[in-house]
Amino acid sequence: MTLLDRVRQTQTGESWTEFVSVYEALISAWLRQQALSEADADDIRQEVMQTVVQEIGRFDHNGRPGAFRNWLRRITANRMRRLWQTRQRRAADYAGADFGEIAEQLEDDASRLTHVWDADHDRFVLNRLIGMLNGRFSPTSLAAFRRLAIGQEDPALVANDLGMTIGAARVAQHRVLRALKDLGEGLIDV
């Protein structure tokens, strides 16, 4: 069962711990890249995660690549806009980043910022999911996967460097890929 399926079926437990460890870190890192203050980024991250916890049971993956990523992006944009509006009403002289503008760009499917979000999301989540496989695969198998599948390196060179046959390196690559697909289905397109 995928991580997304598991968190949709329960409100607590190890699945949520794994999910939160991936997505809280992703949201925080992404917001800090947008030059938001630590306090603003933390407020938005909390609001996004609270919304995800409340709404994930109703999330309907339409089968399209990036459906979950897009859903999360829209939640993030909405929470940014809502906090921006609150800050503007409370203090006319608020001098923080204009995350209302960032939210508008994030809602635009064709914006540069949306493309950055998509790439950052997939790279970040993929690396976190691979990290979750550390106990299930040997470091050599994970290295073979990273170098062959992600790095697109020459199989003979990778096998030689790792002390494996080409066949063993390819088997490791496919086993790790299968586990990633099982774990990350619906979260990333592997």
Side-chain angles (χ1 to χ4, degrees), residues 33-166:
Q33 287 176 2
Q34 307 312 310
L36 271 66
S37 72
E38 191 71 32
D40 288 340
D42 193 48
D43 289 346
I44 294 167
R45 177 196 50 80
Q46 288 178 25
E47 292 241 353
V48 168
M49 293 308 294
Q50 181 179 13
T51 302
V52 168
V53 168
Q54 292 170 347
E55 300 293 327
I56 199 158
R58 291 188 287 272
F59 169 70
D60 182 31
H61 197 295
N62 60 13
R64 290 184 173 174
F68 181 79
R69 179 185 63 218
N70 291 335
W71 181 73
L72 184 65
R73 177 174 51 87
R74 291 187 191 294
I75 289 172
T76 304
N78 287 335
R79 295 305 165 249
M80 289 176 80
R81 179 177 294 101
R82 187 162 68 177
L83 186 60
W84 174 248
Q85 290 167 347
T86 300
R87 294 279 163 84
Q88 284 185 310
R89 280 194 301 267
R90 286 188 189 158
D93 60 342
Y94 176 74
D98 182 350
F99 44 90
E101 173 62 30
I102 296 169
E104 284 183 32
Q105 291 179 38
L106 199 54
E107 282 188 324
D108 179 356
D109 292 339
S111 76
R112 180 198 63 76
L113 195 57
T114 292
H115 294 292
V116 169
W117 168 275
D118 291 349
D120 287 351
H121 172 277
D122 290 351
R123 183 176 42 258
F124 191 93
V125 173
L126 177 64
N127 284 325
R128 287 295 180 120
L129 293 176
I130 290 171
M132 289 179 189
L133 297 177
N134 276 332
R136 292 176 49 188
F137 294 94
S138 71
T140 304
S141 292
L142 291 171
F145 170 78
R146 283 184 185 275
R147 292 181 64 184
L148 293 171
I150 298 172
Q152 300 291 305
E153 293 183 41
D154 177 73
L157 176 66
V158 171
N160 185 53
D161 287 352
L162 297 175
M164 308 170 85
T165 65
I166 294 173

Side-chain angles (χ1 to χ4, degrees), residues 3 6-7 10-21:
L3 179 58
R6 288 182 290 157
V7 297
T10 182
Q11 292 295 313
T12 61
E14 184 180 327
S15 299
W16 272 101
T17 301
E18 292 174 346
F19 182 84
V20 167
S21 76

